[in-house]
């Protein structure tokens, strides 16, 4: 496309970012909006809450397919945040069928998706297959656990504020990845940086035990935090149905060491090393410091 909704700019690429308010959507929209030749449509189920500079709030809900054609109008590339629900493979296939044939698609999937068959009928792979079989140019991102869960009150922030990182690791390490690095990879793939047909396994630069993770958080926040190993069943508290099964499989994969494997994909794609947990925590000292936690419901997945 060559039209523009930005005064003075010639837009050559229009990108729909689904989940624009999410952990990867926020930094991705920021990167794309900084480019004068890119128009960013920020997809959200509540578009009135999309306030990022240079981002066009766009109604997008997996529950409202009638609105998809409007969200996809004139779009050259779409960032698909996989919805973690049982019907995701069909929803993704239906969405992509509504895109123009030349549309480039980047799917946010998860690390080693082929290891997610148990109890979920190969759901993660089927979600990816919907993209592979779409007939569009595609790239699949497979990140490990995001560092951002450590500063998110829906995940671990409140427990950290109380001095504990309660996590079921089975003694395995995690190569935490900064969602900003996922966004940097997604940006390149969306803008056609020769990533078509690639499955990118994304991790941080080092695998850390939960004990080390807790120690680094404690040092950054200036207050004691210790790792408390809990059984998987306790980690599932507050989840039910498909989300519960998916979360169980995720923690079983943590125990098996799936998330301990380090890849160099971020550096290969972006040309700079993946961010360290230490660097992430330095950037988030304020939220980790005493007096900043707040009570909220906890869910280990989105
Ligand atoms: N968190 C991790 O450590 C991690 C690791 C690997 C893979 N992943 C995968 O990455 C994906 C996203 O996870 P996340 O943790 O990044 O989640 P997140 O930050 O909570 O983002 C989820 C997004 O989904 C959007 N959303 C909610 N309901 C929606 C609906 N009905 N229709 C359309 N969009 C809706 C939300 O935006 P609105 O409310 O504005 O619609 C939000 O932006 C999941 O598939 C997850 O399995 C996560």
């Amino acid at each position: 496309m060559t039209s523009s909704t930005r005064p003075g700019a010639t837009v050559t690429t229009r990108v729909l970012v689904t989940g624009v308010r999410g952990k990867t959507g926020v930094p991705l929209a920021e990167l794309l909006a900084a480019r004068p030749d890119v128009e960013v449509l920020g997809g959200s189920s509540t578009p009135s809450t999309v306030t990022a500079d240079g981002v066009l709030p766009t109604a997008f809900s997996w529950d409202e397919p009638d609105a998809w054609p409007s969200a996809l109008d004139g779009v050259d590339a779409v960032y698909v945040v996989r919805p973690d629900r049982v019907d995701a493979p069909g929803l993704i296939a239906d969405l992509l069928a509504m895109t123009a044939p030349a549309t480039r698609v980047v799917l946010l999937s998860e690390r080693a998706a082929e290891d997610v068959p148990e109890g979920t009928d190969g759901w993660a792979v089927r979600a990816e297959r919907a993209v592979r079989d779409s007939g569009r140019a595609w790239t699949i991102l497979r990140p490990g656990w995001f560092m951002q869960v450590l500063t998110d009150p829906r995940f671990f922030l409140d427990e950290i504020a109380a001095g504990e990182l309660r996590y079921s690791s089975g003694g395995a390490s995690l190569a935490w990845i900064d969602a900003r690095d996922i966004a940097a990879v997604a940006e390149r793939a969306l803008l056609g940086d020769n990533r078509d047909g690639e499955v990118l396994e994304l991790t941080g630069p080092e695998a850390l035990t939960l004990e080390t993770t807790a120690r680094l958080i404690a040092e950054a926040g200036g207050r004691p935090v210790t790792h408390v190993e809990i059984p998987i069943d306790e980690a599932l508290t507050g989840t039910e149905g498909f989300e519960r099964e998916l979360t169980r499989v995720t923690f079983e994969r943590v125990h098996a060491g799936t998330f301990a494997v380090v890849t160099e994909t971020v550096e290969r794609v972006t040309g700079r090393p993946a961010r360290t947990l230490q660097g992430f925590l330095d950037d988030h000292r304020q939220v980790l410091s005493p007096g900043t936690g707040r009570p909220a419901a906890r869910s280990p997945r989105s």
Side-chain angles (χ1 to χ4, degrees):
M1 65 161 299
T2 53
S3 64
S4 172
T5 56
R6 289 202 216 175
T10 301
V11 172
T12 56
T13 309
R14 178 184 282 183
V15 182
L16 171 64
V17 177
T18 70
V20 77
R21 295 194 308 135
K23 296 184 196 67
T24 60
V26 168
L28 174 59
E30 200 175 313
L31 288 171
L32 292 170
R35 293 174 172 269
D37 57 342
V38 175
E39 185 172 52
V40 188
L41 309 187
S44 169
S45 56
T46 46
S48 60
T49 57
V50 176
T51 54
D53 281 351
V55 176
L56 200 63
T58 302
F60 177 81
S61 169
W62 292 107
D63 296 312
E64 290 169 25
D66 289 350
W68 295 352
S70 166
L72 291 167
D73 187 32
V75 159
D76 302 288
V78 56
Y79 179 65
V80 179
V81 173
R82 183 190 66 185
D84 285 353
R85 46 195 267 182
V86 71
D87 56 352
L91 289 172
I92 294 170
D94 291 348
L95 175 72
L96 300 187
M98 291 186 191
T99 59
T103 306
R104 178 164 275 120
V105 180
V106 176
L107 174 72
L108 179 63
S109 178
E110 68 180 288
R111 191 90 172 81
E114 64 280 349
D115 294 346
V116 192
E118 205 178 321
T120 65
D121 189 25
W123 170 86
V125 166
R126 287 188 288 114
E128 291 187 351
R129 197 175 301 135
V131 173
R132 292 170 185 266
D133 294 348
S134 66
R136 311 296 180 255
W138 57 263
T139 307
I140 292 172
L141 310 185
R142 289 179 164 185
W145 279 66
F146 303 172
M147 295 175 187
Q148 276 73 6
V149 300
L150 302 170
T151 52
D152 186 337
R154 293 174 304 154
F155 290 79
F156 297 106
L157 182 61
D158 297 322
E159 291 175 358
I160 286 171
E164 291 185 342
L165 176 56
R166 302 180 69 79
Y167 190 97
S168 188
S169 72
S173 296
L174 276 86
W176 303 100
I177 182 167
D178 193 319
R180 292 174 294 183
D181 285 337
I182 303 169
V185 172
E187 179 199 25
R188 284 164 175 77
L190 286 163
L191 299 182
D193 186 22
N194 289 324
R195 297 294 158 198
D196 294 350
E198 288 195 35
V199 177
L200 302 172
E201 302 275 356
L202 305 172
T203 74
E206 57 195 343
L208 303 172
T209 63
L210 269 293
E211 286 73 18
T212 301
T213 302
R215 178 175 55 75
L216 293 175
I217 294 169
E219 287 169 7
R223 61 178 162 190
V225 180
T226 52
H227 168 232
V228 178
E229 178 68 16
I230 58 172
I232 289 180
D233 274 346
E234 187 179 327
L236 304 181
T237 305
T239 62
E240 58 183 25
F242 180 74
E243 183 193 13
R244 187 175 181 85
E245 198 48 49
L246 199 54
T247 307
R248 178 186 300 285
V249 170
T250 299
F251 278 107
E252 287 171 353
R253 295 191 327 129
V254 170
H255 284 223
T258 300
F259 299 97
V261 179
V262 174
T263 73
E264 293 180 354
T265 315
V266 168
E267 182 160 5
R268 178 166 59 82
V269 174
T270 66
R272 54 155 187 75
R275 291 174 168 86
T276 61
L277 183 64
Q278 180 71 68
F280 169 81
L281 295 172
D282 286 346
D283 291 344
H284 294 83
R285 271 180 201 283
Q286 205 176 351
V287 74
L288 293 166
S289 299
T292 51
R294 64 177 177 83
R298 169 172 174 264
S299 168
R301 296 190 72 97
S302 58

